[in-house]
C-alpha cells in the first residue's frame, strides 16, 4: 500500500510523488532524513521534507554542477565539494582524469551513511581512493584551507537549515581564498521561478567577491519551479574560454555523460530575459519583492 508524499513550496504550491515504500526515515543532529521508493522518480532523498535528489533526474543536476566548472579549468587536480553528501557530484568529478583528489566536506555524516546504504548508484564513488570525506562545517573547513583547490563546488541544500551559512559574502570570500591561482567555483543558486530573491541575492553577493560571475541554467524536474540555476565564479577564467581553446576533454566527458555535451555547455549560459532581470547589478529586487513575494 503506497501513499503520496508532497514537497510544499511556501504553502503556495506542492509537488506530489507516489511512494511505494519508505526505505529510511530518521533524524540526524541537523535535519530530518528520508529515503523513499517513488513510483516514477525511483529512489528519492529528502532532507527536512525537501527533495534533494532522485535516481531518475539526479544526472542533470550533478552533470551541471561538476562538468561545467571543471571543463572551464585547464587542469583541475584538487577539487572540494561542499555539501553533496549523497555523492553524486563526487561521482561526476571523478570522471575527469586530471583529478587526483576530491575532498567531500559534508556537515551531516548521516546523509553520507544513508546515501551509501540506500542510493548506491549515486553514492558509489565515495569509496574511491581519490576521495577524502570530511564530516565538517564547510565554512569552517575552507577557512582552514587557503590556496588549496583548483575547483570548489558548493552542492548545498536550500538557504535555510544547515545550508543557510553557505549563502553569504563571508563564506564566498573564504571560498575565493581557498582557491589556488586560476581556480574556479560553481554553486547551486536556486530556482529563478520559485526562489527569485535567492537567485538575486546569491548573484549579488558573488559579485561582491569575484570579478567573473556567470549564472547558468538547466531544468531539474523534481526541484520546485523546474528551471534551476548554478553560478560559475572565478577571478580570471571565463566559463567557455577553455572549451573554445581545446574541447578534447569536453568531448570525452560528453561521450559518457547522460546530460552534459558541448552544446549544452555553451547554451546553459544563454539566460532568458526574466533570469537576466534577476541578476542585473541594479536589479529590481525591492519592487519584485513587493509585487510578487515568494515567501
Ligand atoms: N531544492 C533542492 C535544492 C537541492 C540542492 N542540492 C542537491 C544535492 C544533490 N547532490
Amino acid at each position: 500500500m503506497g501513499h503520496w508524499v508532497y514537497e510544499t513550496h511556501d504553502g503556495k504550491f506542492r509537488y506530489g510523488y507516489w511512494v511505494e515504500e519508505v526505505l529510511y526515515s530518521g533524524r540526524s543532529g541537523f535535519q530530518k532524513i528520508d529515503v523513499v521508493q517513488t513510483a516514477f522518480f525511483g529512489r528519492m532523498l529528502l532532507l527536512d521534507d525537501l527533495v534533494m535528489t532522485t535516481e531518475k533526474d539526479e544526472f542533470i543536476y550533478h552533470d551541471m554542477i561538476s562538468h561545467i566548472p571543471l571543463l572551464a579549468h585547464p587542469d583541475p587536480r584538487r577539487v572540494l565539494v561542499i555539501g553533496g553528501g549523497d555523492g553524486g557530484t563526487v561521482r561526476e568529478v571523478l570522471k575527469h582524469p586530471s583529478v587526483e583528489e576530491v575532498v567531500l566536506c559534508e556537515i551531516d555524516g548521516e546523509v553520507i551513511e544513508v546515501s551509501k546504504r540506500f542510493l548506491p548508484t549515486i553514492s558509489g564513488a565515495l569509496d574511491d581512493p581519490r576521495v577524502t570525506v570530511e564530516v565538517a562545517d564547510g565554512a569552517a573547513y575552507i577557512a582552514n584551507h587557503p590556496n588549496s583547490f583548483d575547483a570548489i563546488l558548493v552542492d548545498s541544500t536550500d538557504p535555510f537549515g544547515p545550508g543557510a551559512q553557505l549563502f553569504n559574502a563571508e563564506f564566498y570570500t573564504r571560498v575565493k581564498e581557498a582557491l589556488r591561482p586560476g581556480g574556479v567555483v560553481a554553486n547551486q543558486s536556486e530556482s529563478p521561478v520559485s526562489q527569485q530573491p535567492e537567485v538575486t541575492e546569491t548573484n549579488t553577493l558573488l559579485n561582491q567577491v569575484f570579478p567573473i560571475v556567470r549564472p547558468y541554467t538547466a531544468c531539474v524536474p523534481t526541484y520546485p519551479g523546474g528551471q534551476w540555476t548554478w553560478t560559475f565564479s572565478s577571478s580570471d577564467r571565463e566559463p567557455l574560454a577553455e572549451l573554445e581553446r581545446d574541447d578534447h576533454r569536453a568531448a570525452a566527458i560528453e561521450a559518457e555523460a547522460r546530460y552534459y555535451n558541448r552544446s549544452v555547455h555553451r547554451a546553459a549560459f544563454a539566460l532568458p530575459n526574466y533570469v537576466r532581470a534577476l541578476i542585473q547589478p541594479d536589479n529590481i529586487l525591492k519592487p519584485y519583492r513587493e509585487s510578487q513575494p515568494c515567501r
Side-chain angles (χ1 to χ4, degrees):
M1 183 63 186
H3 64 278
W4 286 98
V5 68
Y6 298 101
E7 175 172 347
T8 301
H9 183 78
D10 195 28
K12 297 190 176 99
F13 69 87
R14 61 183 185 173
Y15 289 176
Y17 305 95
W18 183 254
V19 169
E20 297 172 333
E21 186 181 357
V22 176
L23 300 168
Y24 178 86
S25 187
R27 190 170 283 281
S28 71
F30 296 94
Q31 57 207 337
K32 183 169 178 264
I33 303 174
D34 293 288
V35 180
V36 295
Q37 178 71 48
T38 70
F40 189 81
F41 284 99
R43 292 186 176 191
M44 170 184 280
L45 170 69
L46 302 102
L47 298 180
D48 285 340
D49 299 320
L50 303 176
V51 177
M52 289 296 120
T53 199
T54 79
E55 287 178 323
K56 195 177 186 82
D57 70 351
E58 57 88 8
F59 68 99
I60 305 172
Y61 178 94
H62 292 128
D63 276 16
M64 292 303 276
I65 197 170
S66 59
H67 301 318
I68 299 281
L70 292 185
L71 291 168
H73 190 289
D75 188 28
R77 290 168 188 258
R78 285 200 87 213
V79 179
L80 172 64
V81 176
I82 297 177
D86 55 73
T89 300
V90 168
R91 181 195 64 203
E92 295 307 315
V93 170
L94 290 173
K95 291 179 178 171
H96 293 255
S98 63
V99 171
E100 296 166 351
E101 183 183 13
V102 190
V103 177
L104 174 72
C105 182
E106 161 65 56
I107 197 168
D108 191 343
E110 289 186 41
V111 172
I112 298 172
E113 294 313 313
V114 168
S115 298
K116 280 184 168 180
R117 190 169 156 203
F118 294 104
L119 301 169
T121 61
I122 301 174
S123 64
L126 291 176
D127 291 326
D128 189 286
R130 290 167 290 174
V131 178
T132 302
V133 174
E134 298 275 356
V135 177
D137 174 340
Y141 180 85
I142 51 164
N144 291 321
H145 290 80
N147 192 29
S148 298
F149 298 99
D150 301 307
I152 298 177
L153 314 181
V154 185
D155 183 6
S156 64
T157 54
D158 300 292
F160 16 85
Q165 59 175 333
L166 305 183
F167 287 81
N168 61 69
E170 189 189 341
F171 171 70
Y172 279 101
T173 301
R174 300 284 165 265
V175 168
K176 186 180 181 186
E177 291 167 356
L179 290 175
R180 288 168 163 169
V184 298
V185 178
N187 64 291
Q188 78 85 359
S189 45
E190 299 290 312
S191 169
V193 176
S194 64
Q195 304 283 149
Q196 292 190 340
E198 286 79 4
V199 170
T200 297
E201 286 166 4
T202 304
N203 187 75
T204 301
L205 69 87
L206 284 167
N207 271 291
Q208 291 165 7
V209 175
F210 291 99
I212 296 172
V213 177
R214 305 284 182 257
Y216 57 100
T217 76
C219 288
V220 182
T222 53
Y223 288 174
Q227 190 162 23
W228 205 255
T229 71
W230 300 259
T231 304
F232 173 93
S233 304
S234 170
S235 293
D236 47 15
R237 292 193 192 284
E238 287 288 348
L240 299 179
E242 185 63 18
L243 182 70
E244 303 307 347
R245 190 186 68 79
D246 178 356
D247 71 352
H248 80 277
R249 287 171 53 225
I253 294 293
E254 176 178 324
E256 59 176 309
R258 289 186 67 201
Y259 192 79
Y260 177 86
N261 61 46
R262 285 161 286 176
S263 297
V264 160
H265 189 141
R266 295 185 182 94
F269 291 90
L271 301 180
N273 284 353
Y274 86 103
V275 182
R276 283 186 183 174
L278 292 173
I279 61 163
Q280 290 302 311
D282 302 315
N283 89 39
I284 43 160
L285 179 59
K286 188 166 177 289
Y288 166 77
R289 279 191 149 161
E290 285 168 356
S291 60
Q292 300 179 56
C294 248
R295 329 182 60 185

